[in-house]
Amino acid sequence: AQSVTQLGSHVSVSEGALVLLRCNYSSSVPPYLFWYVQYPNQGLQLLLKYTSAATLVKGINGFEAEFKKSETSFHLTKPSAHMSDAAEYFCAVTLSGNTGKLIFGQGTTLQVKP
Amino acid sequence: KAGVTQTPRYLIKTRGQQVTLSCSPISGHRSVSWYQQTPGQGLQFLFEYFSETQRNKGNFPGRFSGRQFSNSRSEMNVSTLELGDSALYLCASRSLGGGREFMNTEAFFGQGTRLTVV
């Protein structure tokens, strides 16, 4: 079973519309969850990460994600899309405390239409 | 504070050749991981080094190898290149070494090396 699954390889929204990118994780993995963004020809940049301190996590550029254990989900949202949000987004999880290995979802490409 | 630096940014190699990619982590970071990114397979973990020791390896053939130096800089080597090795190779560094706190630590990524095998 996949450790993390992103539903929808491509999402298209209009500028100003709500952005919702879905990520579900396997209930067998510890909930050390991250969202990363990748702009064309760039590396990955952390948007936000889940800590047990709060289920609603705020990140950079107006993004936030809600950890829902009952649904094993960690969906990424932004109330109002901007053209500069067009990029590829990855949900990821760390499985073990003794390795730096990150398991990534398949990625979701966000297109923002004017 | 300088970020993760990968060199070179772009490489073109011929099938059968070998290649070495370099990664300089953020100062003070001792964990360095490598990932291969392709359109078909996405982001796949290659290996991780910590304090000059490989402590985890992904499911890649032995043609892929790496090492880490005492200053935490890391190199990965691919021998006998195949067309399918064409990919973006990303390096990431983390500040901590292990434990629960480490699991929640941000991985900082370099811009990657784009390898094209012809």
Side-chain angles (χ1 to χ4, degrees), chain A residues 18-86:
Chain A
L18 171 71
V19 176
L20 171 60
L21 305 181
R22 299 177 188 273
C23 173
N24 286 88
Y25 65 93
S26 169
S27 58
S28 64
V29 307
Y32 294 98
L33 295 158
F34 305 81
W35 274 101
Y36 282 87
V37 61
Q38 185 179 35
Y39 299 100
N41 297 316
Q42 297 293 320
L44 278 69
Q45 179 185 8
L46 181 71
L47 277 175
L48 50 80
K49 64 180 182 182
Y50 171 67
T51 68
S52 56
T55 55
L56 184 62
V57 183
K58 294 190 183 299
I60 62 171
N61 302 338
F63 284 93
E64 60 184 36
E66 186 171 9
F67 176 77
K68 290 188 176 180
K69 187 174 180 179
S70 60
E71 299 177 7
T72 59
S73 68
F74 191 55
H75 300 332
L76 182 71
T77 60
K78 182 173 181 178
S80 177
H82 191 271
M83 296 296 291
S84 61
D85 294 327

Short mmCIF file of all heavy atoms in Angstrom, two decimals, chain A residues 18-86:
data_model
loop_
_atom_site.label_atom_id
_atom_site.label_comp_id
_atom_site.label_asym_id
_atom_site.label_seq_id
_atom_site.Cartn_x
_atom_site.Cartn_y
_atom_site.Cartn_z
N LEU A 18 -10.84 28.89 -4.81
CA LEU A 18 -10.29 28.03 -3.76
C LEU A 18 -9.40 26.96 -4.38
O LEU A 18 -9.74 26.35 -5.40
CB LEU A 18 -11.43 27.36 -3.00
CG LEU A 18 -11.04 26.26 -2.01
CD1 LEU A 18 -10.35 26.86 -0.79
CD2 LEU A 18 -12.26 25.45 -1.60
N VAL A 19 -8.28 26.72 -3.72
CA VAL A 19 -7.39 25.63 -4.11
C VAL A 19 -7.54 24.50 -3.10
O VAL A 19 -7.48 24.74 -1.89
CB VAL A 19 -5.91 26.08 -4.14
CG1 VAL A 19 -5.00 24.89 -4.45
CG2 VAL A 19 -5.70 27.19 -5.16
N LEU A 20 -7.76 23.29 -3.61
CA LEU A 20 -7.84 22.11 -2.74
C LEU A 20 -7.03 21.00 -3.39
O LEU A 20 -7.38 20.52 -4.47
CB LEU A 20 -9.28 21.65 -2.55
CG LEU A 20 -9.47 20.29 -1.84
CD1 LEU A 20 -8.87 20.31 -0.44
CD2 LEU A 20 -10.95 19.91 -1.80
N LEU A 21 -5.96 20.60 -2.74
CA LEU A 21 -5.12 19.50 -3.21
C LEU A 21 -5.19 18.40 -2.17
O LEU A 21 -4.93 18.64 -1.00
CB LEU A 21 -3.68 19.97 -3.43
CG LEU A 21 -3.50 21.17 -4.36
CD1 LEU A 21 -2.01 21.50 -4.50
CD2 LEU A 21 -4.12 20.93 -5.72
N ARG A 22 -5.51 17.21 -2.63
CA ARG A 22 -5.81 16.12 -1.69
C ARG A 22 -4.62 15.20 -1.44
O ARG A 22 -3.89 14.84 -2.37
CB ARG A 22 -6.97 15.30 -2.23
CG ARG A 22 -8.25 16.09 -2.40
CD ARG A 22 -9.35 15.25 -3.01
NE ARG A 22 -10.52 16.06 -3.34
CZ ARG A 22 -11.49 16.32 -2.48
NH1 ARG A 22 -11.44 15.84 -1.25
NH2 ARG A 22 -12.52 17.08 -2.85
N CYS A 23 -4.48 14.81 -0.19
CA CYS A 23 -3.44 13.86 0.21
C CYS A 23 -4.01 12.94 1.27
O CYS A 23 -4.54 13.42 2.28
CB CYS A 23 -2.21 14.59 0.76
SG CYS A 23 -0.95 13.50 1.47
N ASN A 24 -3.93 11.66 1.04
CA ASN A 24 -4.30 10.66 2.04
C ASN A 24 -3.07 9.83 2.39
O ASN A 24 -2.27 9.51 1.52
CB ASN A 24 -5.42 9.77 1.51
CG ASN A 24 -6.75 10.48 1.47
OD1 ASN A 24 -7.07 11.13 0.47
ND2 ASN A 24 -7.50 10.39 2.56
N TYR A 25 -2.96 9.50 3.64
CA TYR A 25 -1.80 8.72 4.07
C TYR A 25 -2.25 7.39 4.62
O TYR A 25 -3.40 7.23 5.05
CB TYR A 25 -1.00 9.50 5.12
CG TYR A 25 -1.74 9.75 6.41
CD1 TYR A 25 -1.62 8.89 7.49
CD2 TYR A 25 -2.58 10.85 6.55
CE1 TYR A 25 -2.31 9.10 8.66
CE2 TYR A 25 -3.27 11.07 7.72
CZ TYR A 25 -3.14 10.19 8.77
OH TYR A 25 -3.85 10.40 9.93
N SER A 26 -1.37 6.45 4.59
CA SER A 26 -1.67 5.14 5.12
C SER A 26 -1.72 5.21 6.65
O SER A 26 -0.85 5.83 7.27
CB SER A 26 -0.60 4.14 4.68
OG SER A 26 -0.73 2.92 5.38
N SER A 27 -2.71 4.60 7.23
CA SER A 27 -2.87 4.65 8.68
C SER A 27 -1.73 3.93 9.41
O SER A 27 -1.55 4.10 10.61
CB SER A 27 -4.20 4.01 9.09
OG SER A 27 -4.27 2.67 8.63
N SER A 28 -0.92 3.18 8.65
CA SER A 28 0.18 2.45 9.29
C SER A 28 1.44 3.32 9.43
O SER A 28 2.40 2.91 10.07
CB SER A 28 0.51 1.20 8.47
OG SER A 28 0.98 1.56 7.18
N VAL A 29 1.42 4.49 8.84
CA VAL A 29 2.62 5.33 8.93
C VAL A 29 2.47 6.36 10.04
O VAL A 29 1.35 6.80 10.34
CB VAL A 29 2.92 6.06 7.59
CG1 VAL A 29 2.97 5.06 6.44
CG2 VAL A 29 1.91 7.14 7.30
N PRO A 30 3.57 6.70 10.66
CA PRO A 30 3.48 7.77 11.67
C PRO A 30 3.16 9.08 10.97
O PRO A 30 3.59 9.32 9.86
CB PRO A 30 4.88 7.78 12.28
CG PRO A 30 5.76 7.18 11.25
CD PRO A 30 4.93 6.20 10.49
N PRO A 31 2.39 9.94 11.59
CA PRO A 31 1.89 11.15 10.90
C PRO A 31 2.90 12.28 10.88
O PRO A 31 2.65 13.37 11.40
CB PRO A 31 0.66 11.51 11.71
CG PRO A 31 1.00 11.06 13.10
CD PRO A 31 1.80 9.79 12.93
N TYR A 32 4.05 12.02 10.30
CA TYR A 32 5.02 13.09 10.11
C TYR A 32 4.90 13.51 8.65
O TYR A 32 5.60 13.00 7.78
CB TYR A 32 6.42 12.61 10.46
CG TYR A 32 6.55 12.29 11.93
CD1 TYR A 32 6.44 10.98 12.38
CD2 TYR A 32 6.72 13.30 12.87
CE1 TYR A 32 6.52 10.69 13.72
CE2 TYR A 32 6.81 13.01 14.22
CZ TYR A 32 6.70 11.71 14.64
OH TYR A 32 6.77 11.43 15.97
N LEU A 33 3.99 14.44 8.41
CA LEU A 33 3.54 14.78 7.07
C LEU A 33 4.01 16.17 6.64
O LEU A 33 4.06 17.09 7.47
CB LEU A 33 2.01 14.72 7.00
CG LEU A 33 1.41 13.33 7.21
CD1 LEU A 33 -0.04 13.45 7.66
CD2 LEU A 33 1.50 12.52 5.93
N PHE A 34 4.29 16.29 5.37
CA PHE A 34 4.80 17.53 4.81
C PHE A 34 4.11 17.81 3.47
O PHE A 34 3.69 16.89 2.79
CB PHE A 34 6.30 17.42 4.53
CG PHE A 34 7.16 17.02 5.70
CD1 PHE A 34 7.26 15.68 6.07
CD2 PHE A 34 7.86 17.95 6.43
CE1 PHE A 34 8.05 15.29 7.14
CE2 PHE A 34 8.66 17.58 7.50
CZ PHE A 34 8.75 16.25 7.85
N TRP A 35 4.04 19.08 3.14
CA TRP A 35 3.69 19.50 1.79
C TRP A 35 4.86 20.31 1.24
O TRP A 35 5.32 21.25 1.88
CB TRP A 35 2.43 20.36 1.76
CG TRP A 35 1.15 19.58 1.68
CD1 TRP A 35 0.29 19.29 2.70
CD2 TRP A 35 0.56 19.02 0.50
NE1 TRP A 35 -0.79 18.58 2.23
CE2 TRP A 35 -0.65 18.41 0.88
CE3 TRP A 35 0.92 18.99 -0.84
CZ2 TRP A 35 -1.49 17.76 -0.02
CZ3 TRP A 35 0.09 18.35 -1.75
CH2 TRP A 35 -1.11 17.74 -1.34
N TYR A 36 5.29 19.92 0.04
CA TYR A 36 6.35 20.63 -0.65
C TYR A 36 5.81 21.16 -1.97
O TYR A 36 4.91 20.58 -2.58
CB TYR A 36 7.54 19.71 -0.94
CG TYR A 36 8.44 19.45 0.23
CD1 TYR A 36 8.17 18.41 1.13
CD2 TYR A 36 9.57 20.24 0.46
CE1 TYR A 36 9.01 18.18 2.21
CE2 TYR A 36 10.42 20.01 1.54
CZ TYR A 36 10.13 18.97 2.41
OH TYR A 36 10.97 18.74 3.48
N VAL A 37 6.42 22.25 -2.46
CA VAL A 37 6.07 22.81 -3.76
C VAL A 37 7.32 22.85 -4.62
O VAL A 37 8.43 23.07 -4.13
CB VAL A 37 5.45 24.22 -3.62
CG1 VAL A 37 6.42 25.21 -2.99
CG2 VAL A 37 4.99 24.75 -4.98
N GLN A 38 7.11 22.60 -5.91
CA GLN A 38 8.22 22.63 -6.85
C GLN A 38 7.84 23.49 -8.04
O GLN A 38 6.89 23.18 -8.77
CB GLN A 38 8.59 21.22 -7.32
CG GLN A 38 9.82 21.18 -8.22
CD GLN A 38 10.18 19.77 -8.64
OE1 GLN A 38 9.31 18.92 -8.85
NE2 GLN A 38 11.47 19.49 -8.77
N TYR A 39 8.58 24.57 -8.24
CA TYR A 39 8.40 25.41 -9.40
C TYR A 39 9.26 24.87 -10.53
O TYR A 39 10.25 24.14 -10.28
CB TYR A 39 8.74 26.86 -9.08
CG TYR A 39 7.87 27.43 -7.99
CD1 TYR A 39 8.30 27.52 -6.68
CD2 TYR A 39 6.56 27.83 -8.28
CE1 TYR A 39 7.49 28.02 -5.68
CE2 TYR A 39 5.73 28.33 -7.28
CZ TYR A 39 6.20 28.42 -5.99
OH TYR A 39 5.39 28.89 -5.01
N PRO A 40 8.94 25.17 -11.78
CA PRO A 40 9.68 24.62 -12.91
C PRO A 40 11.19 24.80 -12.78
O PRO A 40 11.66 25.89 -12.43
CB PRO A 40 9.12 25.39 -14.10
CG PRO A 40 7.74 25.75 -13.68
CD PRO A 40 7.82 26.03 -12.20
N ASN A 41 11.89 23.71 -13.03
CA ASN A 41 13.36 23.71 -13.01
C ASN A 41 13.94 24.12 -11.65
O ASN A 41 15.04 24.69 -11.58
CB ASN A 41 13.92 24.62 -14.11
CG ASN A 41 13.55 24.13 -15.49
OD1 ASN A 41 13.63 22.94 -15.78
ND2 ASN A 41 13.07 25.03 -16.33
N GLN A 42 13.20 23.83 -10.61
CA GLN A 42 13.67 24.15 -9.27
C GLN A 42 13.62 22.91 -8.38
O GLN A 42 13.03 21.89 -8.75
CB GLN A 42 12.79 25.24 -8.64
CG GLN A 42 12.83 26.56 -9.38
CD GLN A 42 14.18 27.24 -9.29
OE1 GLN A 42 14.83 27.25 -8.25
NE2 GLN A 42 14.63 27.80 -10.40
N GLY A 43 14.24 23.04 -7.21
CA GLY A 43 14.11 21.98 -6.21
C GLY A 43 12.80 22.12 -5.48
O GLY A 43 11.90 22.85 -5.90
N LEU A 44 12.67 21.42 -4.37
CA LEU A 44 11.44 21.44 -3.59
C LEU A 44 11.57 22.42 -2.43
O LEU A 44 12.63 22.53 -1.81
CB LEU A 44 11.13 20.05 -3.04
CG LEU A 44 10.43 19.06 -3.98
CD1 LEU A 44 11.34 18.64 -5.10
CD2 LEU A 44 9.93 17.85 -3.21
N GLN A 45 10.46 23.09 -2.14
CA GLN A 45 10.43 24.04 -1.04
C GLN A 45 9.31 23.64 -0.09
O GLN A 45 8.20 23.32 -0.53
CB GLN A 45 10.19 25.45 -1.58
CG GLN A 45 10.11 26.53 -0.52
CD GLN A 45 9.76 27.88 -1.10
OE1 GLN A 45 9.42 28.02 -2.27
NE2 GLN A 45 9.83 28.92 -0.27
N LEU A 46 9.60 23.66 1.19
CA LEU A 46 8.59 23.27 2.16
C LEU A 46 7.49 24.33 2.25
O LEU A 46 7.78 25.51 2.43
CB LEU A 46 9.22 23.09 3.55
CG LEU A 46 8.27 22.66 4.65
CD1 LEU A 46 7.85 21.20 4.44
CD2 LEU A 46 8.90 22.83 6.03
N LEU A 47 6.25 23.87 2.14
CA LEU A 47 5.10 24.75 2.34
C LEU A 47 4.67 24.73 3.81
O LEU A 47 4.42 25.76 4.42
CB LEU A 47 3.92 24.29 1.49
CG LEU A 47 3.86 24.72 0.03
CD1 LEU A 47 2.68 24.04 -0.64
CD2 LEU A 47 3.76 26.23 -0.09
N LEU A 48 4.56 23.52 4.33
CA LEU A 48 4.15 23.35 5.72
C LEU A 48 4.37 21.91 6.15
O LEU A 48 4.62 21.05 5.32
CB LEU A 48 2.66 23.72 5.91
CG LEU A 48 1.63 23.11 4.97
CD1 LEU A 48 1.26 21.70 5.37
CD2 LEU A 48 0.39 23.98 4.89
N LYS A 49 4.30 21.71 7.46
CA LYS A 49 4.43 20.36 8.01
C LYS A 49 3.49 20.19 9.18
O LYS A 49 3.15 21.15 9.87
CB LYS A 49 5.87 20.09 8.44
CG LYS A 49 6.35 20.98 9.58
CD LYS A 49 7.80 20.65 9.95
CE LYS A 49 8.27 21.51 11.12
NZ LYS A 49 9.70 21.23 11.46
N TYR A 50 3.07 18.98 9.37
CA TYR A 50 2.18 18.68 10.48
C TYR A 50 3.00 18.46 11.75
O TYR A 50 4.00 17.76 11.75
CB TYR A 50 1.36 17.42 10.20
CG TYR A 50 0.58 16.95 11.40
CD1 TYR A 50 -0.47 17.70 11.92
CD2 TYR A 50 0.90 15.76 12.05
CE1 TYR A 50 -1.18 17.29 13.02
CE2 TYR A 50 0.20 15.34 13.16
CZ TYR A 50 -0.83 16.11 13.64
OH TYR A 50 -1.53 15.69 14.75
N THR A 51 2.57 19.12 12.82
CA THR A 51 3.10 18.80 14.14
C THR A 51 1.89 18.48 15.00
O THR A 51 0.79 18.94 14.74
CB THR A 51 3.86 19.99 14.75
OG1 THR A 51 2.92 21.04 15.05
CG2 THR A 51 4.90 20.52 13.79
N SER A 52 2.09 17.71 16.01
CA SER A 52 0.96 17.28 16.83
C SER A 52 0.35 18.44 17.62
O SER A 52 -0.66 18.27 18.27
CB SER A 52 1.39 16.17 17.77
OG SER A 52 2.47 16.61 18.56
N ALA A 53 0.95 19.62 17.55
CA ALA A 53 0.46 20.75 18.33
C ALA A 53 -0.91 21.23 17.87
O ALA A 53 -1.69 21.75 18.64
CB ALA A 53 1.46 21.89 18.27
N ALA A 54 -1.20 21.09 16.58
CA ALA A 54 -2.47 21.59 16.05
C ALA A 54 -2.83 20.81 14.81
O ALA A 54 -1.96 20.45 14.01
CB ALA A 54 -2.37 23.07 15.72
N THR A 55 -4.12 20.59 14.61
CA THR A 55 -4.55 19.85 13.42
C THR A 55 -4.61 20.74 12.20
O THR A 55 -4.50 20.25 11.07
CB THR A 55 -5.91 19.19 13.64
OG1 THR A 55 -6.85 20.20 14.03
CG2 THR A 55 -5.84 18.13 14.73
N LEU A 56 -4.79 22.04 12.41
CA LEU A 56 -4.79 22.97 11.29
C LEU A 56 -3.42 23.64 11.24
O LEU A 56 -3.02 24.32 12.18
CB LEU A 56 -5.90 24.01 11.45
CG LEU A 56 -6.06 25.00 10.28
CD1 LEU A 56 -6.42 24.26 9.00
CD2 LEU A 56 -7.10 26.05 10.61
N VAL A 57 -2.74 23.44 10.14
CA VAL A 57 -1.38 23.93 10.02
C VAL A 57 -1.34 25.04 8.97
O VAL A 57 -1.86 24.87 7.87
CB VAL A 57 -0.43 22.80 9.58
CG1 VAL A 57 1.01 23.30 9.50
CG2 VAL A 57 -0.54 21.61 10.52
N LYS A 58 -0.73 26.14 9.34
CA LYS A 58 -0.58 27.24 8.38
C LYS A 58 0.84 27.23 7.83
O LYS A 58 1.81 27.03 8.57
CB LYS A 58 -0.90 28.56 9.06
CG LYS A 58 -2.35 28.69 9.48
CD LYS A 58 -2.70 30.08 9.94
CE LYS A 58 -4.15 30.15 10.43
NZ LYS A 58 -5.11 29.80 9.36
N GLY A 59 0.92 27.47 6.53
CA GLY A 59 2.22 27.47 5.89
C GLY A 59 2.51 28.79 5.21
O GLY A 59 1.88 29.81 5.48
N ILE A 60 3.45 28.73 4.29
CA ILE A 60 3.83 29.95 3.59
C ILE A 60 2.87 30.22 2.43
O ILE A 60 2.13 29.32 2.01
CB ILE A 60 5.28 29.85 3.06
CG1 ILE A 60 5.41 28.71 2.05
CG2 ILE A 60 6.26 29.69 4.21
CD1 ILE A 60 6.74 28.67 1.33
N ASN A 61 2.91 31.44 1.94
CA ASN A 61 2.12 31.84 0.76
C ASN A 61 0.62 31.63 0.92
O ASN A 61 -0.08 31.45 -0.08
CB ASN A 61 2.61 31.10 -0.49
CG ASN A 61 4.08 31.34 -0.78
OD1 ASN A 61 4.66 32.33 -0.34
ND2 ASN A 61 4.70 30.43 -1.49
N GLY A 62 0.12 31.66 2.14
CA GLY A 62 -1.32 31.56 2.37
C GLY A 62 -1.88 30.16 2.36
O GLY A 62 -3.10 29.97 2.45
N PHE A 63 -1.05 29.15 2.25
CA PHE A 63 -1.52 27.76 2.25
C PHE A 63 -1.72 27.25 3.68
O PHE A 63 -1.04 27.69 4.60
CB PHE A 63 -0.53 26.85 1.52
CG PHE A 63 -0.57 26.97 0.02
CD1 PHE A 63 0.27 27.84 -0.65
CD2 PHE A 63 -1.48 26.21 -0.71
CE1 PHE A 63 0.22 27.96 -2.03
CE2 PHE A 63 -1.53 26.31 -2.09
CZ PHE A 63 -0.69 27.20 -2.75
N GLU A 64 -2.64 26.33 3.82
CA GLU A 64 -2.83 25.65 5.08
C GLU A 64 -3.30 24.23 4.81
O GLU A 64 -3.75 23.90 3.70
CB GLU A 64 -3.81 26.38 5.98
CG GLU A 64 -5.20 26.56 5.43
CD GLU A 64 -6.07 27.38 6.38
OE1 GLU A 64 -5.57 28.31 7.03
OE2 GLU A 64 -7.28 27.07 6.46
N ALA A 65 -3.15 23.38 5.80
CA ALA A 65 -3.57 21.99 5.67
C ALA A 65 -4.17 21.53 6.98
O ALA A 65 -3.74 21.97 8.06
CB ALA A 65 -2.39 21.10 5.28
N GLU A 66 -5.16 20.66 6.88
CA GLU A 66 -5.81 20.14 8.07
C GLU A 66 -5.55 18.64 8.19
O GLU A 66 -5.81 17.88 7.25
CB GLU A 66 -7.31 20.40 8.05
CG GLU A 66 -8.00 20.00 9.34
CD GLU A 66 -9.44 20.46 9.41
OE1 GLU A 66 -9.97 20.95 8.40
OE2 GLU A 66 -10.04 20.31 10.50
N PHE A 67 -5.04 18.24 9.34
CA PHE A 67 -4.79 16.83 9.62
C PHE A 67 -6.08 16.22 10.18
O PHE A 67 -6.59 16.67 11.20
CB PHE A 67 -3.66 16.70 10.63
CG PHE A 67 -3.37 15.29 11.06
CD1 PHE A 67 -2.69 14.42 10.24
CD2 PHE A 67 -3.78 14.84 12.31
CE1 PHE A 67 -2.42 13.12 10.65
CE2 PHE A 67 -3.52 13.55 12.72
CZ PHE A 67 -2.83 12.69 11.89
N LYS A 68 -6.59 15.20 9.49
CA LYS A 68 -7.80 14.51 9.94
C LYS A 68 -7.47 13.03 10.09
O LYS A 68 -7.44 12.29 9.10
CB LYS A 68 -8.94 14.72 8.95
CG LYS A 68 -9.48 16.14 8.91
CD LYS A 68 -10.73 16.23 8.05
CE LYS A 68 -11.32 17.62 8.07
NZ LYS A 68 -12.54 17.74 7.24
N LYS A 69 -7.29 12.64 11.33
CA LYS A 69 -6.90 11.26 11.59
C LYS A 69 -8.00 10.28 11.18
O LYS A 69 -7.73 9.21 10.64
CB LYS A 69 -6.56 11.08 13.08
CG LYS A 69 -5.97 9.74 13.42
CD LYS A 69 -5.53 9.70 14.88
CE LYS A 69 -4.94 8.34 15.22
NZ LYS A 69 -4.50 8.29 16.63
N SER A 70 -9.25 10.66 11.43
CA SER A 70 -10.37 9.77 11.12
C SER A 70 -10.47 9.50 9.62
O SER A 70 -10.97 8.45 9.21
CB SER A 70 -11.68 10.37 11.63
OG SER A 70 -11.91 11.61 11.00
N GLU A 71 -10.01 10.43 8.82
CA GLU A 71 -10.07 10.27 7.37
C GLU A 71 -8.68 9.98 6.78
O GLU A 71 -8.56 9.86 5.56
CB GLU A 71 -10.63 11.55 6.73
CG GLU A 71 -12.03 11.90 7.18
CD GLU A 71 -12.54 13.20 6.59
OE1 GLU A 71 -11.86 13.78 5.73
OE2 GLU A 71 -13.64 13.64 7.03
N THR A 72 -7.70 9.87 7.60
CA THR A 72 -6.29 9.71 7.20
C THR A 72 -5.95 10.67 6.05
O THR A 72 -5.41 10.27 5.01
CB THR A 72 -5.96 8.26 6.80
OG1 THR A 72 -6.79 7.83 5.72
CG2 THR A 72 -6.13 7.32 7.98
N SER A 73 -6.29 11.94 6.27
CA SER A 73 -6.07 12.92 5.21
C SER A 73 -5.27 14.11 5.71
O SER A 73 -5.25 14.41 6.93
CB SER A 73 -7.41 13.40 4.65
OG SER A 73 -8.11 14.16 5.60
N PHE A 74 -4.64 14.77 4.79
CA PHE A 74 -3.86 15.98 5.09
C PHE A 74 -3.95 16.85 3.84
O PHE A 74 -2.96 17.10 3.16
CB PHE A 74 -2.41 15.60 5.42
CG PHE A 74 -1.58 16.71 5.99
CD1 PHE A 74 -1.99 17.41 7.12
CD2 PHE A 74 -0.35 17.05 5.42
CE1 PHE A 74 -1.21 18.43 7.66
CE2 PHE A 74 0.43 18.06 5.95
CZ PHE A 74 0.01 18.75 7.07
N HIS A 75 -5.15 17.33 3.55
CA HIS A 75 -5.39 18.09 2.33
C HIS A 75 -4.85 19.51 2.44
O HIS A 75 -4.94 20.14 3.50
CB HIS A 75 -6.89 18.14 2.02
CG HIS A 75 -7.50 16.80 1.82
ND1 HIS A 75 -6.82 15.69 1.37
CD2 HIS A 75 -8.78 16.37 2.05
CE1 HIS A 75 -7.61 14.65 1.29
NE2 HIS A 75 -8.82 15.03 1.70
N LEU A 76 -4.37 20.01 1.33
CA LEU A 76 -3.78 21.35 1.26
C LEU A 76 -4.81 22.31 0.67
O LEU A 76 -5.42 21.99 -0.36
CB LEU A 76 -2.53 21.33 0.40
CG LEU A 76 -1.75 22.63 0.25
CD1 LEU A 76 -1.04 22.98 1.57
CD2 LEU A 76 -0.72 22.53 -0.87
N THR A 77 -4.98 23.48 1.27
CA THR A 77 -5.94 24.44 0.75
C THR A 77 -5.35 25.84 0.74
O THR A 77 -4.41 26.15 1.47
CB THR A 77 -7.25 24.46 1.58
OG1 THR A 77 -6.92 24.83 2.93
CG2 THR A 77 -7.94 23.12 1.57
N LYS A 78 -5.97 26.66 -0.11
CA LYS A 78 -5.67 28.09 -0.13
C LYS A 78 -6.95 28.79 -0.56
O LYS A 78 -7.56 28.39 -1.57
CB LYS A 78 -4.53 28.41 -1.09
CG LYS A 78 -4.17 29.90 -1.11
CD LYS A 78 -2.93 30.18 -1.94
CE LYS A 78 -2.59 31.67 -1.92
NZ LYS A 78 -1.35 31.98 -2.69
N PRO A 79 -7.41 29.76 0.18
CA PRO A 79 -8.72 30.37 -0.11
C PRO A 79 -8.81 31.01 -1.49
O PRO A 79 -9.84 30.95 -2.14
CB PRO A 79 -8.87 31.43 0.99
CG PRO A 79 -7.93 31.00 2.06
CD PRO A 79 -6.78 30.33 1.39
N SER A 80 -7.72 31.62 -1.95
CA SER A 80 -7.78 32.37 -3.19
C SER A 80 -6.50 32.14 -3.99
O SER A 80 -5.42 32.57 -3.57
CB SER A 80 -7.95 33.87 -2.87
OG SER A 80 -7.94 34.63 -4.05
N ALA A 81 -6.64 31.50 -5.12
CA ALA A 81 -5.47 31.16 -5.94
C ALA A 81 -4.89 32.39 -6.63
O ALA A 81 -5.62 33.29 -7.08
CB ALA A 81 -5.84 30.12 -6.99
N HIS A 82 -3.58 32.38 -6.74
CA HIS A 82 -2.87 33.43 -7.46
C HIS A 82 -2.10 32.78 -8.59
O HIS A 82 -1.72 31.61 -8.49
CB HIS A 82 -1.90 34.14 -6.49
CG HIS A 82 -1.32 35.40 -7.02
ND1 HIS A 82 -0.15 35.41 -7.76
CD2 HIS A 82 -1.74 36.68 -6.94
CE1 HIS A 82 0.13 36.65 -8.11
NE2 HIS A 82 -0.81 37.44 -7.63
N MET A 83 -1.88 33.54 -9.63
CA MET A 83 -1.16 32.99 -10.79
C MET A 83 0.19 32.38 -10.38
O MET A 83 0.61 31.36 -10.93
CB MET A 83 -0.93 34.07 -11.84
CG MET A 83 -2.21 34.64 -12.45
SD MET A 83 -3.15 33.40 -13.36
CE MET A 83 -2.06 33.12 -14.75
N SER A 84 0.82 32.99 -9.39
CA SER A 84 2.14 32.51 -8.97
C SER A 84 2.09 31.17 -8.23
O SER A 84 3.13 30.59 -7.94
CB SER A 84 2.81 33.55 -8.08
OG SER A 84 2.03 33.78 -6.92
N ASP A 85 0.87 30.68 -7.94
CA ASP A 85 0.74 29.39 -7.27
C ASP A 85 0.87 28.22 -8.23
O ASP A 85 0.93 27.06 -7.80
CB ASP A 85 -0.61 29.29 -6.57
CG ASP A 85 -0.74 30.27 -5.42
OD1 ASP A 85 0.28 30.56 -4.77
OD2 ASP A 85 -1.87 30.76 -5.19
N ALA A 86 0.91 28.50 -9.52
CA ALA A 86 1.04 27.43 -10.51
C ALA A 86 2.38 26.72 -10.31
O ALA A 86 3.45 27.34 -10.41
CB ALA A 86 0.95 28.01 -11.91
#
